[in-house]
Amino acid sequence: MRAIPFIVFLCSLVVSSLIPLLSWGADSNHKQYVFFKDTQYPLRVHYLQGEKPGPTIMIQGGIQGDEDAGFITSQILTRTKVHTGNLLIVPRADVPSIHIHKRQFNVDLNRRFDRDYDQYFEDRLARVIRFLIGKCDGFIHLHEGSGFHTPNRIDDLHGPHRYGQSVIIDTDVYQNHLFLARMVETVLKRVNAEITPKEYSFRLFNTRTFSTQTAYPEQQKSLSFYAVKKLNIPALAVEVSKNIRDLDWKVRHQMKVVGSFLQEFGLSCTLPVVDAQEIKNWYCLPVALRINGETVRQGPIILSANRKIFISLDQGESESDMREYGVFIPNRPGYNMLDRTYLPLHPFKRIYLIMDGKKVADLPVRWQGKWPEVQKNDNPMWVYSLNENIRYAPSGSAININEGDQLNIEGIWQGREHELLNVKGYVSSHRENTGQDIGIPLLASRGNFMTKYIKTTNNYWEFRVQRETKNTVKSALRFRVFPHTIKALELRNSGAVKTLVPAFTKHMSIQPGTYWLSDIWATGNQSAPLVMVDEWPVAQMPLVWKSGESHVISLYGSNDFKYLRSIDVHVSSPGLPNQPIACTDAVK
């Protein structure tokens, strides 16, 4: 056994014990979970458990939205059959950047790992990714870079500063036990022997990130550097070239490189078989929209003025769940309307369906009914959504919400089509800060606001949303943000008996059995916490607890993944009562 796999395997004996909950349920070999499920930035995670214990390796793609091969390869790899070890796969780390098919939405997610930032949604994604990679013994990052990496400059597309067709490492050897260059050279010798044409061969690219003389200091903010320096695990990036036009070739060869590295890591698996037409037809999958429950396959789409619309997918193929979809309209280009209720205040002309960053449908819209005329009202009515529920409030209102709620300013009822509504002290777009915050999802978190723009009292903090449209009546709303108070968790066993777990307790005992998380008692509508048991989300998975075991229930913010508190649970002997025994509405 080589040096790196041996060290990785020893680490896995400890690390893999942190993820036991994923073995529950009928399909014990493949578990899925979505962090930030009801937001614009869902993070889908796949955990593939092997038949025998071994290292846990993380594979991630889609951290930059214009690198198609990386997220397609990662997605296909979720079909891998693992024999020894475990795979943790994040196919698309930054979904909003994929929707717009650009490197970044606000900021480059792969430059947010040198510290815990707290400004954009990318920083919440980085928080979860750090948590996930902390469970692993090795890391493979899948990318797509420009040109072809060569030691010396040949022409504009071939040179030392090109990333395509390379395997990137941050150092040759780290602390005399992570022999990264040796491992990469072993893999490339094996993989390149089968590559045609030879000019597409992969090369080792050492950015020497640890050196004070590195030409790539920005790499110190990358995830691979974080993995090596902070976690002391081997990490590398596999870059195929954007200048190779054959997507099928890139995906197949990126998979081969990954398979060879998994072998070096000591993980045994069978990679999925990719049909000859699968990649070529990746963006050709027939998917129809359902608008207010009716299937729409072609335009024009008939909509009614000032009526709510709900858009979902009519998926007839099982392969549909291997893509990431988005539905957009011209006047809200950065907001995915899929599976969300939207109240149009003004007409729009088209609806776009995006599949993995490519526009696959462009449907014209026709309106019926009459749009109301713009009113010069001294007390205009605001329209906003709170946790995806449409609400209304007259100008000057003070609205109570909770920390962690999601707020969306929709517009002014019977207002102008191009209103300028500004959330004071909040920068919604790093790319273009115009003060326009209509349609921008806002997480009610104090850290997202400039201190001078918020008002603080003993019970809450407050921010303002202000109408700044020229030549209109001044108008504003105040939002009072109260603490997100968690009161209790409610567990239900197989006999439908409920047990209350007060969130303020530190220790409790419970009888052996199978439990489900049936309810969360907390302030706010959908601001309930993310519940983790033994450091993995439980969602609807059963908790199979045996006598004598101990478990830890941890609570995190569901929309920002910030740690809240934890509860130690001891599984008592059969027959002893749970503590506490009963579940009453008095706590609610």
Side-chain angles (χ1 to χ4, degrees), residues 330-365:
N331 57 345
R332 296 184 75 172
Y335 184 81
N336 184 6
M337 295 171 54
L338 186 62
D339 295 326
R340 289 170 172 82
T341 300
Y342 174 60
L343 176 64
L345 300 179
H346 302 280
F348 52 86
K349 296 181 178 181
R350 316 197 75 78
I351 291 178
Y352 309 118
L353 173 61
I354 304 296
M355 178 195 296
D356 272 344
K358 300 291 177 64
K359 186 187 295 185
V360 295
D362 182 347
L363 304 173
V365 175

Side-chain angles (χ1 to χ4, degrees), residues 502-522:
F504 50 80
T505 191
K506 292 184 178 180
H507 307 276
M508 73 166 291
S509 297
I510 196 167
Q511 293 182 39
T514 300
Y515 294 86
W516 285 263
L517 178 65
S518 54
D519 199 2
I520 301 174
W521 296 358

Side-chain angles (χ1 to χ4, degrees), residues 486-505 508 510 514-522 528-529 531 533 538-543 545 553 555 567 569 578-588:
I486 308 163
K487 297 182 177 181
L489 307 178
E490 183 183 275
L491 302 180
R492 174 179 55 85
N493 66 12
S494 53
V497 176
K498 296 178 181 178
T499 297
L500 190 67
V501 181
F504 50 80
T505 191
M508 73 166 291
I510 196 167
T514 300
Y515 294 86
W516 285 263
L517 178 65
S518 54
D519 199 2
I520 301 174
W521 296 358
V531 180
V533 175
V538 296
Q540 299 302 313
M541 290 189 291
L543 310 173
W545 285 342
I553 300 177
L555 307 178
I567 304 163
V569 178
N578 291 346
Q579 299 174 353
I581 255 177
C583 177
T584 68
D585 287 339
V587 182
K588 281 191 175 182

Side-chain angles (χ1 to χ4, degrees), residues 546-573:
K546 299 177 181 179
S547 178
E549 293 180 345
S550 293
H551 299 278
V552 178
I553 300 177
S554 302
L555 307 178
Y556 290 80
S558 59
N559 293 330
D560 59 10
F561 199 69
K562 287 187 176 179
Y563 172 79
L564 301 174
R565 61 179 62 91
S566 64
I567 304 163
D568 293 327
V569 178
H570 175 70
V571 185
S572 61
S573 301

Side-chain angles (χ1 to χ4, degrees), residues 219-234:
Q219 290 293 118
Q220 295 174 3
K221 298 182 177 183
S222 70
L223 181 55
S224 62
F225 184 77
Y226 171 85
V228 173
K229 183 178 180 180
K230 297 295 185 181
L231 303 180
N232 219 347
I233 63 173

Side-chain angles (χ1 to χ4, degrees), residues 89 111 139 160 168 259 289 339 344 376 408 515 539:
I89 303 177
R111 298 295 181 266
F139 175 60
I168 300 176
L289 294 179
D339 295 326
K376 296 181 179 180
N408 227 319
Y515 294 86

